[in-house]
Amino acid sequence: MKKEYKDKFPEFCSDFTKAYDLCLSDDSDSILVNNFLELETWNSTRFFYDFNMLYIEKGYKQQNPMVGCDISFVDGRCWDNHVTAISSKDIINPNSANLNSIDKINSKNNYTSKYAGSTLATVLSYYDYDISQLSEQAKMLIMCIDSHYYGFYSDRFHSTQKKWLVDVLEMDELYDIIKTHTEQDFIDLARSLNIKIPRQGKKDRDGKIWINKDGYLETEIDLKGISDILGTEITLPKQQFEPFFKQKEDEEYLILKTGYAKTDYISNREQVQKNIFSYSQTFKNSASYTYLYKVNPKQI
């Protein structure tokens, strides 16, 4: 990664003297980031977040700060890739390891200049992972994550995304892969691994990870196929999870709620919701977010 950008990343990214608890979310970008960070830096995944509920390993008493993997926390440590500001007035999370946050990208002023790549590519670049050892298919796989390839097949966005991939992330070999393959090549690979799931008459959806009724993680993503291509085992955490926010009978308690907003006429995040937990601009004029909501059981 270009030093000018790397030097602006939060301190926790390079501080291996402290223990952190990783938080996995619900797609392929997150599980690959999670596995890489477990191998290279911190080895404990204690949380799972599906954007409706935060879960914690059953019986675990939190001792360490949490680090989100491909999650746009408004406060707290996280690796992510989303635009998290509506305007320059919004306070950007200083502990977000996010190229768009570092470059002060927001939906009002410079949204089309955003980094539209994966969190995985950011992490691999930051930690100087040697991608030259990977097969051509493995390099294609990296570009499939979060549809990183997509912007390169648009005349409008190609030069911007090339700047991020080549000049900032310094991953020229991945750009070479773009030049020698069609967009359909990446679509076919992503679908074959259930990274993307086709839908009749609709845009492909992301393959998902979820909590089953017994509190264990399951996925439709082909982790074995991904592991075979990358030459390293990619796995889900095997422990049991339970809701982090506990329901109480005689006192107020917190839960998470999901919201969606059109941001065309909104000047800052507080106009959407003051108690935002995670937030991302899904498009220039729309956002997805979760917020903390206080429940009074006596009023239910």
Side-chain angles (χ1 to χ4, degrees):
M1 181 179 288
K2 190 175 184 179
K3 188 175 186 301
E4 172 190 340
Y5 281 85
K6 191 169 186 176
D7 289 347
K8 294 178 181 178
F9 271 65
E11 184 180 344
F12 82 86
C13 300
S14 58
D15 185 0
F16 305 135
T17 64
K18 297 178 182 176
Y20 295 102
D21 294 335
L22 297 178
C23 179
L24 173 69
S25 70
D26 66 350
D27 66 9
S28 59
D29 201 359
S30 184
I31 188 62
L32 285 166
V33 168
N34 177 268
N35 273 252
F36 181 85
L37 291 178
E38 280 198 334
L39 286 170
E40 298 295 323
T41 56
W42 311 292
N43 61 0
S44 58
T45 300
R46 305 289 192 179
F47 295 90
F48 175 70
Y49 177 51
D50 64 3
F51 301 92
N52 291 301
M53 174 67 75
L54 178 67
Y55 297 88
I56 187 171
E57 180 181 333
K58 189 170 184 179
Y60 176 67
K61 304 299 180 184
Q62 186 178 1
Q63 302 170 3
N64 308 310
M66 180 168 60
V67 174
C69 299
D70 191 40
I71 304 169
S72 300
F73 289 138
V74 171
D75 186 31
R77 298 165 181 82
C78 58
W79 286 92
D80 72 295
N81 61 339
H82 306 96
V83 174
T84 61
I86 295 173
S87 74
S88 56
K89 297 177 183 178
D90 287 324
I91 298 173
I92 294 176
N93 179 4
N95 279 311
S96 172
N98 177 345
L99 289 169
N100 287 314
S101 296
I102 286 168
D103 231 28
K104 296 181 169 50
I105 303 294
N106 63 77
S107 66
K108 292 287 184 184
N109 306 114
N110 54 4
Y111 185 80
T112 56
S113 298
K114 72 173 184 175
Y115 168 64
S118 66
T119 301
L120 174 65
T122 303
V123 170
L124 295 178
S125 175
Y126 181 87
Y127 291 112
D128 300 318
Y129 183 79
D130 181 12
I131 60 172
S132 67
Q133 64 182 306
L134 298 176
S135 68
E136 182 169 335
Q137 191 177 35
K139 293 172 187 174
M140 285 184 68
L141 171 57
I142 292 173
M143 293 303 293
C144 284
I145 303 303
D146 214 14
S147 300
H148 194 161
Y149 64 84
Y150 182 76
F152 292 91
Y153 296 96
S154 162
D155 291 339
R156 184 181 180 191
F157 298 114
H158 183 104
S159 60
T160 300
Q161 296 315 311
K162 180 184 177 184
K163 179 205 80 170
W164 284 112
L165 185 62
V166 175
D167 299 338
V168 178
L169 296 182
E170 298 182 337
M171 299 176 111
D172 303 54
E173 289 182 56
L174 295 185
Y175 185 64
D176 292 339
I177 291 294
I178 290 290
K179 291 190 292 184
T180 56
H181 289 275
T182 67
E183 182 177 13
Q184 192 62 46
D185 292 336
F186 292 99
I187 292 171
D188 291 344
L189 180 58
R191 287 176 172 175
S192 73
L193 297 166
N194 281 2
I195 291 168
K196 290 291 185 180
I197 310 293
R199 295 187 291 180
Q200 188 71 33
K202 294 182 179 180
K203 181 181 176 182
D204 289 3
R205 67 171 177 82
D206 290 328
K208 291 296 182 183
I209 300 166
W210 61 87
I211 291 270
N212 67 20
K213 63 181 179 61
D214 298 315
Y216 293 96
L217 293 175
E218 295 182 354
T219 186
E220 62 192 331
I221 301 166
D222 183 3
L223 296 184
K224 183 182 184 306
I226 290 173
S227 300
D228 290 344
I229 291 172
L230 292 178
T232 187
E233 189 176 17
I234 304 298
T235 61
L236 287 175
K238 294 178 174 58
Q239 64 266 44
Q240 191 175 19
F241 290 85
E242 61 184 356
F244 181 80
F245 299 107
K246 301 294 192 298
Q247 184 172 339
K248 300 175 183 178
E249 295 182 358
D250 54 358
E251 61 180 289
E252 290 185 331
Y253 59 93
L254 292 172
I255 62 171
L256 287 175
K257 285 195 171 185
T258 301
Y260 301 92
K262 290 289 185 182
T263 55
D264 311 50
Y265 307 106
I266 299 172
S267 63
N268 59 66
R269 278 196 315 250
E270 281 207 346
Q271 287 178 264
V272 178
Q273 173 59 240
K274 290 184 178 180
N275 299 316
I276 292 177
F277 184 73
S278 68
Y279 179 97
S280 65
Q281 288 287 141
T282 48
F283 297 99
K284 186 178 190 299
N285 294 316
S286 62
S288 173
Y289 60 94
T290 56
Y291 61 97
L292 291 166
Y293 180 79
K294 189 175 288 187
V295 176
N296 187 334
K298 296 177 183 178
Q299 296 176 351
I300 296 178

